[in-house]
Amino acid sequence: MTVKINLPHDNSYEIFIDKLNELYFDTKVVIVTNPTVSGFHLEYLKSKLNAKELSICTIPDGEQYKHMETIESILEHCFTKRLDRKSLLVAFGGGVIGDMTGFAASIYQRGIDFVQIPTTLLSQVDASVGGKTGINNKFGKNLIGAFHQPNAVYIDPSMLKTLPKREFGAGVAEIVKMAVTFNKEFFEWLEQNDINKEENLKIAIQKSVETKAYVVSQDEKEHGIRAALNYGHTFGHVVENETNYNTYLHGEAVGIGMMMANEVSVKLGLMSKEDALRVKRLLEVYDIPTSYKIKDVEDFYEHFFLDKKSLDNKIKFILARGIGDCLITDETSKEDIIKVLKGFSRD
Amino acid sequence: MTVKINLPHDNSYEIFIDKLNELYFDTKVVIVTNPTVSGFHLEYLKSKLNAKELSICTIPDGEQYKHMETIESILEHCFTKRLDRKSLLVAFGGGVIGDMTGFAASIYQRGIDFVQIPTTLLSQVDASVGGKTGINNKFGKNLIGAFHQPNAVYIDPSMLKTLPKREFGAGVAEIVKMAVTFNKEFFEWLEQNDINKEENLKIAIQKSVETKAYVVSQDEKEHGIRAALNYGHTFGHVVENETNYNTYLHGEAVGIGMMMANEVSVKLGLMSKEDALRVKRLLEVYDIPTSYKIKDVEDFYEHFFLDKKSLDNKIKFILARGIGDCLITDETSKEDIIKVLKGFSRD
């Protein structure tokens, strides 16, 4: 099946959700990947991919390498292989590979093309739609980057068979995020269907991608509604940052972040306790963590201001309004947020 | 006077050529500059610029600092000052400052606004139009970067009074480039008028900016005609690279590069010897170097392939066709180029 991402300025592209077909490129191609993905799937990809000249750029596996030095090593590979402005990068891996390959493509010779072949559930449902690329630095996550849309995305769900259970759960967290903020019917479907089953998984990927595509098509550069996709992320980024990006997977931190955001929603009367519990239960089905112990509430709060969603020293929160709808607000009082955070600071 | 740069996708902006007016910005502003420019002009700029919160980011002066570490130091300043997505960078200096500030703005939080206040003749006539931003690396010049258009450009010719004579000449070289490739009438005007005189200088800046704007408006991302603005640059970049960027100013290297390109034009019957001589004479009026001694012709030739204009291992040359017209070609034979280069290798 194919989902079309409609964007202005010739930036539209298609997402193919199926067993990988033969791919033909009449240009130089560099596959950017890491040893883990390459060990499982590189031979399979190479058997499908035909290019004028093909090379492999292997970068270390993990969020801790999502920084400028790795970008420079990708660029160095491209220069050494004498890629020109018509050449193509292939992001072959999870979200980290996708974000970095896209960013490298956006600044190599002022921008060349790239395609994504995401190999984790999280990158298939989330990072594959929307063209956000970037890296982390000591101030926080994804603070340096560019909007650079891929030419196409190829999602092959069969690649998920080798994905560790925890990483699968991290992907489910982003699927739940999409459903809670924009798609009540999809949320109910998720409550009734186990997406560990292959036929359900494909449907869940498609529905997630469609939901995100609907949002991104309306607001490519996140001037408005697209920010709602950061539901769970404002809190989640702080959790990741406090734990030095080495305790939780991104999707797991988002799961915790959604729990915190929902507590704010409940406090402000935007969401019933029952609905908050439904979200919690759904996350628990896939063993996604839903609790986190905050050590210093004031310190946690202060971290928000380094997040790029904070404008004019106001913090923008994405709050679920029941299930299937949401609200972007920078009017939440510090007092209310601190009270909710205190709820996460007790033993 | 004002020149409008018409570009698709809301990228249009205006260039103001006049004594600097009062500027008001209701956002955080960072002025990126170097000690030389700041010593001469920062107090003047600060007396004109009103911002919600203003800070100065000073980076070292010189092309040798046009690399990723300097970009990272600009970004670090922005994070420390907690710039948000509505904040603004002001590029206050020559082409190096403009290219780096623009690039930093393009990747800070996936892109924020910037304006340019160019303080050298070269950056006023050339770098201020077109949105090319970037940095050098060991493989060559401007090989990493982005297309990122400024919101506005403020050209104050009175700032050129403190500009060293050599740097003024380097700017004139780019003015001559614009005239030779696109504007015969302007070239003749330049032969008859001394642009050291203030009233002529302002006209020359305006005509250059208009000529470049005409080209860039047709082809923002250099898929076609815009490449003609690289006249003199394919050769000039190699000259700069061979001399480690510390012997010639960029405009001077372009002057030498135009002489080389014109020899190719003469050899191919595209330009008369007399017209080539007119270009040489005009450059000499402003003491722009027109000769260069190539040590190793084959090595010089090999350098072309690291230039990003080389596609499919073909080198794209911009050749003047008489004066006021030009040709983009990748059909030139290696033999012809080598013969011309040999003419520059003799004592």
Side-chain angles (χ1 to χ4, degrees):
Chain A
M1 58 186 79
T2 304
V3 180
K4 176 84 186 278
I5 313 293
N6 292 305
L7 296 169
H9 311 336
D10 311 322
N11 280 340
S12 297
Y13 63 93
E14 286 179 326
I15 299 185
F16 304 93
I17 308 169
D18 254 315
K19 240 34 235 117
L20 204 58
N21 273 323
E22 291 278 323
L23 301 171
Y24 295 89
F25 301 106
D26 186 25
T27 59
K28 289 189 183 185
V29 171
V30 172
I31 297 173
V32 181
T33 188
N34 66 40
T36 318
V37 173
S38 142
F40 282 123
H41 306 293
L42 186 60
E43 286 312 307
Y44 173 60
L45 176 60
K46 280 168 80 176
S47 75
K48 298 286 185 184
L49 196 153
N50 307 279
K52 195 168 160 188
E53 196 183 302
L54 180 68
S55 68
I56 316 295
C57 174
T58 306
I59 61 176
D61 185 11
E63 181 89 27
Q64 69 269 36
Y65 300 104
K66 192 179 172 183
H67 50 43
M68 194 61 92
E69 286 109 280
T70 310
I71 294 295
E72 291 193 277
S73 75
I74 298 172
L75 295 172
E76 170 122 14
H77 180 101
C78 297
F79 286 114
T80 307
K81 295 293 174 187
R82 290 187 169 182
L83 261 59
D84 59 39
R85 286 175 169 168
K86 304 256 178 194
S87 301
L88 179 86
L89 301 192
V90 176
F92 188 50
V96 173
I97 291 279
D99 282 9
M100 283 205 287
T101 306
F103 184 43
S106 83
I107 64 174
Y108 184 78
Q109 300 199 4
R110 300 203 185 92
I112 60 171
D113 289 342
F114 82 114
V115 303
Q116 291 196 45
I117 306 180
T119 59
T120 64
L121 181 57
L122 189 140
S123 59
Q124 290 184 347
V125 299
D126 193 39
S128 66
V129 191
K132 280 191 181 180
T133 74
I135 51 174
N136 308 328
N137 67 2
K138 66 179 175 188
F139 295 95
K141 284 194 57 152
N142 300 320
L143 289 176
I144 297 170
F147 284 95
H148 192 57
Q149 302 294 343
N151 286 39
V153 177
Y154 302 92
I155 295 178
D156 182 341
S158 76
M159 288 186 184
L160 300 181
K161 283 174 190 154
T162 58
L163 196 69
K165 190 174 177 306
R166 256 187 82 190
E167 289 208 36
F168 189 84
V172 176
E174 294 278 357
I175 293 176
V176 171
K177 175 197 83 175
M178 234 80 80
V180 173
T181 43
F182 287 102
N183 199 331
K184 186 179 182 177
E185 205 179 304
F186 181 31
F187 188 88
E188 287 162 357
W189 182 91
L190 286 167
E191 291 183 308
Q192 288 147 24
N193 294 277
D194 179 3
I195 63 175
N196 285 301
K197 287 183 187 157
E198 204 172 322
E199 67 276 21
N200 290 336
L201 177 58
K202 201 169 163 182
I203 294 168
I205 293 172
Q206 183 205 352
K207 282 181 187 288
S208 284
V209 165
E210 280 172 354
T211 306
K212 184 159 183 189
Y214 163 79
V215 178
V216 171
S217 298
Q218 291 176 72
D219 176 25
E220 183 183 358
K221 300 241 169 132
E222 196 168 310
H223 299 302
I225 184 73
R226 181 169 176 173
L229 295 173
N230 290 316
Y231 166 60
H233 285 62
T234 310
F235 293 96
H237 281 174
V238 180
V239 169
E240 284 183 283
N241 196 273
E242 279 202 342
T243 54
N244 297 311
Y245 302 102
N246 62 19
T247 309
Y248 297 102
L249 297 172
H250 173 65
E252 292 176 333
V254 169
I256 293 166
M258 289 192 281
M259 298 309 298
M260 293 177 173
N262 288 355
E263 286 303 312
V264 178
S265 283
V266 170
K267 180 155 198 61
L268 300 180
L270 293 165
M271 188 183 225
S272 68
K273 282 191 176 179
E274 172 54 25
D275 279 347
L277 201 58
R278 283 169 72 196
V279 177
K280 186 167 189 278
R281 272 194 224 111
L282 184 52
L283 293 172
E284 284 169 351
V285 169
Y286 298 93
D287 290 331
I288 302 160
T290 52
S291 65
Y292 174 77
K293 194 173 175 321
I294 297 174
K295 282 185 208 75
D296 184 326
V297 166
E298 282 290 336
D299 194 56
F300 192 100
Y301 188 84
E302 186 59 24
H303 262 80
F304 288 132
F305 294 96
L306 278 177
D307 191 278
K308 65 182 167 309
K309 263 77 70 190
S310 71
L311 198 65
D312 293 333
N313 291 328
K314 286 181 174 179
I315 317 154
K316 204 191 276 177
F317 287 104
I318 321 299
L319 301 175
R321 188 148 51 187
I323 281 170
D325 191 17
C326 62
L327 175 80
I328 305 175
T329 177
D330 58 6
E331 300 291 320
T332 323
S333 74
K334 177 175 175 180
E335 203 188 334
D336 282 337
I337 300 296
I338 291 286
K339 272 184 197 161
V340 167
L341 294 178
K342 279 185 177 162
F344 285 85
S345 72
R346 295 184 197 104
D347 283 311
Chain B
M1 59 184 79
T2 304
V3 180
K4 177 84 185 280
I5 314 292
N6 291 305
L7 296 170
H9 312 336
D10 311 323
N11 281 339
S12 298
Y13 63 94
E14 285 178 328
I15 299 186
F16 304 93
I17 308 171
D18 254 316
K19 230 71 204 114
L20 204 59
N21 274 322
E22 292 277 324
L23 301 171
Y24 296 90
F25 302 106
D26 186 26
T27 57
K28 290 190 183 184
V29 171
V30 173
I31 297 173
V32 181
T33 188
N34 66 41
T36 318
V37 173
S38 143
F40 282 122
H41 306 294
L42 186 61
E43 286 312 307
Y44 173 61
L45 176 59
K46 280 167 80 175
S47 75
K48 299 286 184 182
L49 195 154
N50 307 279
K52 196 168 160 189
E53 196 183 302
L54 180 68
S55 68
I56 316 294
C57 173
T58 305
I59 60 176
D61 186 9
E63 180 92 26
Q64 67 271 36
Y65 300 103
K66 193 178 173 185
H67 50 43
M68 194 62 93
E69 287 108 277
T70 310
I71 294 294
E72 291 193 278
S73 76
I74 298 172
L75 295 172
E76 171 122 13
H77 179 101
C78 297
F79 286 114
T80 307
K81 296 293 172 186
R82 291 187 170 183
L83 262 58
D84 58 40
R85 286 174 169 168
K86 303 257 179 194
S87 301
L88 179 85
L89 301 191
V90 176
F92 187 48
V96 172
I97 291 279
D99 282 8
M100 284 204 287
T101 307
F103 184 44
S106 83
I107 64 173
Y108 184 79
Q109 300 199 4
R110 300 201 185 93
I112 61 171
D113 289 342
F114 82 115
V115 304
Q116 290 196 43
I117 306 180
T119 59
T120 64
L121 182 57
L122 190 141
S123 60
Q124 290 185 347
V125 299
D126 193 40
S128 66
V129 191
K132 280 190 181 180
T133 74
I135 51 173
N136 308 328
N137 68 2
K138 65 178 176 188
F139 295 95
K141 286 196 56 155
N142 300 319
L143 289 176
I144 297 170
F147 284 95
H148 192 56
Q149 302 294 342
N151 286 40
V153 178
Y154 302 92
I155 295 179
D156 182 340
S158 77
M159 287 185 185
L160 301 182
K161 283 175 191 155
T162 58
L163 196 68
K165 191 173 177 308
R166 258 187 83 189
E167 289 208 37
F168 190 84
V172 176
E174 294 277 358
I175 293 177
V176 172
K177 176 198 83 173
M178 234 80 80
V180 174
T181 43
F182 287 102
N183 201 331
K184 187 179 179 175
E185 206 179 304
F186 183 29
F187 188 86
E188 287 161 358
W189 182 91
L190 286 167
E191 289 183 310
Q192 289 147 23
N193 293 278
D194 179 3
I195 63 175
N196 285 301
K197 289 185 185 153
E198 205 172 323
E199 66 275 22
N200 291 336
L201 178 59
K202 201 168 163 183
I203 294 168
I205 293 172
Q206 184 204 351
K207 283 181 187 288
S208 284
V209 166
E210 281 172 353
T211 305
K212 184 159 183 188
Y214 163 79
V215 178
V216 171
S217 299
Q218 292 175 71
D219 177 24
E220 183 184 359
K221 299 238 170 132
E222 197 170 306
H223 299 302
I225 185 72
R226 181 169 177 175
L229 295 173
N230 290 316
Y231 167 59
H233 285 62
T234 310
F235 293 96
H237 280 173
V238 180
V239 170
E240 286 183 281
N241 196 273
E242 279 202 342
T243 54
N244 296 312
Y245 302 101
N246 61 21
T247 309
Y248 298 101
L249 298 172
H250 173 65
E252 293 176 333
V254 169
I256 293 166
M258 289 193 281
M259 298 309 298
M260 292 177 174
N262 288 355
E263 286 303 310
V264 178
S265 283
V266 169
K267 183 157 196 58
L268 300 179
L270 293 164
M271 188 181 226
S272 67
K273 281 191 178 179
E274 174 52 28
D275 278 350
L277 200 60
R278 284 169 72 195
V279 177
K280 185 166 189 277
R281 271 195 224 111
L282 185 52
L283 294 173
E284 283 169 351
V285 168
Y286 297 93
D287 291 332
I288 302 159
T290 53
S291 65
Y292 175 75
K293 193 171 175 325
I294 298 173
K295 282 186 209 78
D296 183 327
V297 167
E298 283 289 337
D299 194 57
F300 192 101
Y301 188 83
E302 187 58 25
H303 263 81
F304 288 132
F305 294 98
L306 278 178
D307 190 279
K308 64 184 169 309
K309 264 76 70 188
S310 71
L311 198 65
D312 292 334
N313 291 328
K314 286 182 175 179
I315 318 153
K316 205 190 275 176
F317 287 104
I318 322 299
L319 301 176
R321 188 148 51 185
I323 282 171
D325 191 16
C326 62
L327 174 80
I328 306 174
T329 176
D330 58 5
E331 299 292 322
T332 322
S333 75
K334 178 177 175 180
E335 204 189 331
D336 283 337
I337 300 295
I338 291 286
K339 272 184 197 158
V340 166
L341 293 178
K342 279 186 177 161
F344 284 85
S345 73
R346 297 188 194 101
D347 282 313

